[in-house]
Amino acid sequence: MGTVFAIVLVFVGCCSNVVSLELLVREFPGCGNIVTFAQFAFIALEGFIFETNFGRKKPAIPVSNYVIMVTMFFTVSVINNYALNFNIAMPLHMIFRSGSLIANMILGIIILKKRYSTSKYLSIALVSAGIFICTIMSAKQVNVANEGSEEEGFYAFLHWLVGIAMLTFALLMSARMGIFQETLYKQYGKHSKEALFYNHCLPLPGFLLLSTNIYNHCVYFSQSTPAVVPVVGLTMPIMWLYLLINVITQYVCIRGVFILTTECASLTVTLVVTLRKFLSLIFSIIYFQNPFTAWHWVGTAVVFLGTLLYTEVWSSVQTALRGPDVKDKKAE
């Protein structure tokens, strides 16, 4: 029952979060900082009350280790959201972030000296090819959209390249953080909810560096069209309503993934998250009518095929279909 509940939380929370983020970004493309700050503040407040018992509970992992992890987590979160300022369409943003497997494997080989099977290398090649196809097609769309003058088109393309560079850096930094987290858990044991709290609480002072941008968007949000909040019946600026929905759904999504990691194997978690990304992408394209060519579909299909190959879903399904007899024979 807990597994089904967690899967529902992941799909409903994460898909709703993508929709609310797109609604925010379409109106104010530079609102990434205020969105990140609101998410961090809400999750930190919840963790302070329920995880640390108002600061009375001591952390199982030394705070000095959390400071390192938090620096990476804060950097990744801010850069991922800020990249939306650079003509990065939401579908490309989602596809690019699906390439975390590549980054994990590359850094795993370099840092942890890991070696992988041929199927793993093939899957990474597929994911890389899929992201490359989608990126190239999106680059062409940036050029087409800025046909005004050659100089304008060139600067728009350079602007877009900065966004791609930011996403690439965030992808590698996120993978490095994952490896650091893995080594910490091996040493101190798994404390996912504690890590969730410290990852969102410790970076809050860092938002002072972004305070001007956050304040400006507070003003913009307050000046947006008033809307009635369903059920409650209160009236508030629609952008604040979108932000509230985004924060709540982000929390629901993260809680769902947390429950899933305690209830299921990592393979199941990866598969659920991958399917969620795919559904979010489809919804974003259809509902918001984002430009998506046949080549984009090819690239997307290749990315998800590579992801499923990496997680060895096919062999797991075959084993499950063969039944327990096969497992018993292997055990003998």
Side-chain angles (χ1 to χ4, degrees):
M1 192 66 183
T3 305
V4 175
F5 178 66
I7 291 171
V8 170
L9 285 183
V10 170
F11 276 91
V12 173
C14 297
C15 291
S16 304
N17 183 258
V18 169
V19 173
S20 59
L21 180 60
E22 180 127 18
L23 289 168
L24 287 163
V25 169
R26 286 201 159 213
E27 196 68 32
F28 296 104
C31 70
N33 291 330
I34 190 173
V35 171
T36 309
F37 172 70
Q39 291 173 352
F40 274 52
F42 182 84
I43 293 170
L45 179 62
E46 188 274 342
F48 180 72
I49 297 168
F50 297 105
E51 172 59 23
T52 70
N53 192 19
F54 295 94
R56 288 194 286 266
K57 181 184 173 184
K58 289 186 178 180
I61 298 173
V63 176
S64 57
N65 286 318
Y66 277 125
V67 170
I68 299 169
M69 192 192 302
V70 157
T71 304
M72 291 188 277
F73 185 68
F74 176 75
T75 305
V76 168
S77 299
V78 171
I79 289 176
N80 268 327
N81 282 334
Y82 199 68
L84 292 167
N85 290 3
F86 294 84
N87 294 338
I88 304 292
M90 276 301 290
L92 179 63
H93 193 270
M94 284 186 273
I95 293 164
F96 219 91
R97 290 178 71 175
S98 297
S100 55
L101 290 174
I102 311 168
N104 284 331
M105 179 176 273
I106 292 170
L107 293 187
I109 292 168
I110 296 170
I111 297 169
L112 301 177
K113 309 297 180 187
K114 286 185 176 181
R115 290 294 173 264
Y116 299 91
S117 63
T118 307
S119 64
K120 290 282 194 289
Y121 289 116
L122 175 60
S123 67
I124 293 306
L126 287 172
V127 172
S128 305
I131 291 174
F132 180 75
I133 291 167
C134 290
T135 306
I136 292 297
M137 290 302 112
S138 296
K140 287 184 177 179
Q141 285 177 348
V142 170
N143 289 335
V144 169
N146 295 278
E147 284 180 330
S149 72
E150 194 174 325
E151 191 175 346
E152 282 178 11
F154 177 70
Y155 281 116
F157 181 66
L158 281 182
H159 194 66
W160 177 84
L161 279 180
V162 171
I164 292 295
M166 290 172 76
L167 287 179
T168 305
F169 176 79
L171 200 63
L172 292 169
M173 179 68 82
S174 179
R176 181 65 188 89
M177 185 183 76
I179 290 172
F180 182 72
Q181 206 166 1
E182 190 180 322
T183 55
L184 278 186
Y185 286 165
K186 279 181 182 176
Q187 187 176 353
Y188 298 101
K190 283 192 175 184
H191 302 280
S192 306
K193 205 163 188 300
E194 178 185 288
L196 185 68
F197 165 69
Y198 283 102
N199 277 344
H200 287 82
C201 178
L202 293 179
L204 288 177
F207 285 100
L208 289 171
L209 300 171
L210 310 168
S211 57
T212 305
N213 181 272
I214 291 170
Y215 173 76
N216 289 338
H217 280 88
C218 283
V219 174
Y220 299 150
F221 281 20
S222 299
Q223 294 170 349
S224 62
T225 310
V228 179
V229 182
V231 183
V232 184
L234 294 173
T235 302
M236 65 188 297
I238 196 163
M239 296 308 290
W240 283 114
L241 178 59
Y242 289 156
L243 183 62
L244 178 64
I245 293 168
N246 181 269
V247 167
I248 293 170
T249 53
Q250 174 73 2
Y251 174 73
V252 170
C253 179
I254 286 177
R255 284 290 294 146
V257 173
F258 168 71
I259 295 169
L260 210 57
T261 54
T262 58
E263 296 274 342
C264 308
S266 59
L267 174 66
T268 309
V269 178
T270 307
L271 180 57
V272 170
V273 171
T274 302
L275 290 174
R276 192 277 303 168
K277 285 178 182 176
F278 187 70
L279 283 178
S280 298
L281 180 63
I282 301 298
F283 190 87
S284 173
I285 294 158
I286 295 170
Y287 185 78
F288 293 102
Q289 297 180 338
N290 281 310
F292 217 70
T293 64
W295 278 108
H296 280 96
W297 283 113
V298 170
T300 305
V302 171
V303 167
F304 286 102
L305 177 65
T307 304
L308 293 175
L309 181 64
Y310 184 90
T311 54
E312 296 177 353
V313 170
W314 315 122
S315 58
S316 298
V317 170
Q318 284 174 350
T319 305
L321 290 173
R322 284 172 192 160
D325 294 337
V326 178
K327 290 180 184 177
D328 293 338
K329 284 177 184 178
K330 282 185 180 178
E332 288 170 11

